[in-house]
Amino acid sequence: MPSSQKFLIPCVLICSLLWGSAFPAIKAMYRLWPESQSWDARLLVAGIRFCIAGLMLAPIAGLRGYFSRIKSAERWPMIAVALAQTFGQYLLFYAGLALSSGVLGALLISAGSFWWMMLAPPMLGSPAPRRHHWLALVAGAIGATIAVLRPGAGSGSPLLGGLCFLTAALCGALGIIFHTRLKHSIDTRTATSCSLAAGGVLLVVCGSTAWPEMGRMLAPDMLGLTLYLAFVSAAAFALWNWLARQFSANLLAGYRFLIPLSGMVLSSLLIPEEKPGAGIFIGGGLIIGALIFTNRMEQRSPEAAIDPR
């Protein structure tokens, strides 16, 4: 077993708990700051969060030579990571969260696993999905459809919200793929730090009409939530991007079932107005079951566990 293999499950568990806790934390922020219900304010809050997250990672990445490493990295993949993984993903994610529920978002964002399995082979040259992967994709698509049609109380507009979440998951998968393409020109932490900060700046600019309200974010409760969400992004993205460079897309896709599971449980427990319906449980069972099935099939094929690139 390669030395990095022993870190796989602990790192995935940490990412799952961090990302899962973000759903109720964002909803709590909306309750504390009613003005954040406006679209521009949501983008401003998200942008500040990711700018701080990028700055948090900069010292860990090593400030010495930080900008020279960024300059020496491949330019277009770096731009693509910032646009897809931070700006595009969270522009759509926050739109989905405004339209629908945190539980539905936690479930549908797991579609990134399926996008990743389909896109990694043509874009990265990784092993193509096999029969069990396609079966998992079909089961996941059916599960997502059921979840959107019967999401339960507090779901708002599940069709529009679900579309935003699914497209956000696509952007996230593209971001990871472009990040993986940077593995030979820049280290993980520097690339993640730069992409989070750059994407955050774009979101802040898009939310410029809410700038006069920025002082409200200095209130202790809002500041605490913003810093926590920034930490979530910095830690989870740094860990996951490192994993994406170490392991194959098909293997990691199987472990990602822990992320929606964590998000669904924490959202159900911590967001009082949301009560998941039968569609969430049935659809979630299909999606998570498909990912578990994929993971078990991958474990039977040790040669596919580590990316040969």
Side-chain angles (χ1 to χ4, degrees), residues 80-90 171-172 175-176 179 195 237 241:
V81 171
L83 289 175
Q85 194 170 61
T86 305
F87 179 69
Q89 179 175 201
Y90 283 92
C171 288
I176 294 175
H179 195 287
S195 65
F237 273 115
N241 286 338

Side-chain angles (χ1 to χ4, degrees), residues 176-191:
I176 294 175
I177 286 170
F178 284 114
H179 195 287
T180 304
R181 292 180 61 173
L182 288 165
K183 66 190 297 184
H184 298 300
S185 62
I186 189 172
D187 62 283
T188 301
R189 287 172 293 188
T190 303

Side-chain angles (χ1 to χ4, degrees), residues 115-291:
W115 289 123
W116 196 6
M117 279 194 288
M118 289 188 291
L119 295 174
M123 297 183 73
L124 292 177
S126 59
R130 288 171 287 173
R131 181 182 301 174
H132 63 270
H133 295 132
W134 290 113
L135 289 173
L137 287 170
V138 172
I142 295 171
T145 303
I146 294 172
V148 168
L149 292 177
R150 293 289 185 272
S155 299
S157 303
L159 287 174
L160 287 175
L163 181 62
C164 288
F165 287 133
L166 291 171
T167 313
L170 171 60
C171 288
L174 287 170
I176 294 175
I177 286 170
F178 284 114
H179 195 287
T180 304
R181 292 180 61 173
L182 288 165
K183 66 190 297 184
H184 298 300
S185 62
I186 189 172
D187 62 283
T188 301
R189 287 172 293 188
T190 303
T192 304
S193 170
C194 177
S195 65
L196 287 173
V201 169
L202 290 173
L203 289 168
V204 167
V205 170
C206 288
S208 58
T209 59
W211 288 0
E213 303 291 333
M214 198 180 296
R216 176 67 183 86
M217 295 192 67
L218 297 176
D221 47 7
M222 284 291 295
L223 186 60
L225 279 171
T226 302
L227 291 175
Y228 174 73
L229 286 167
F231 167 75
V232 165
S233 298
F237 273 115
L239 272 176
W240 195 266
N241 286 338
W242 177 79
L243 290 172
R245 295 188 182 199
Q246 304 297 317
F247 301 97
S248 74
N250 292 336
L251 176 67
L252 281 182
Y255 281 102
R256 278 178 66 103
F257 74 88
L258 292 170
I259 297 173
L261 182 62
S262 174
M264 288 169 63
V265 170
L266 291 174
S267 294
S268 299
L269 293 175
L270 300 176
I271 304 177
E273 64 271 19
E274 293 187 12
K275 300 188 184 307
I280 289 289
F281 294 107
I282 297 171
L286 278 170
I287 292 174
I288 293 170
L291 293 172

Side-chain angles (χ1 to χ4, degrees), residues 17-27 49 97 228-229 232 266:
L17 290 172
L18 287 171
W19 270 321
S21 68
F23 295 93
I26 293 170
K27 286 286 189 177
R49 167 192 175 184
L97 210 55
Y228 174 73
L229 286 167
V232 165
L266 291 174

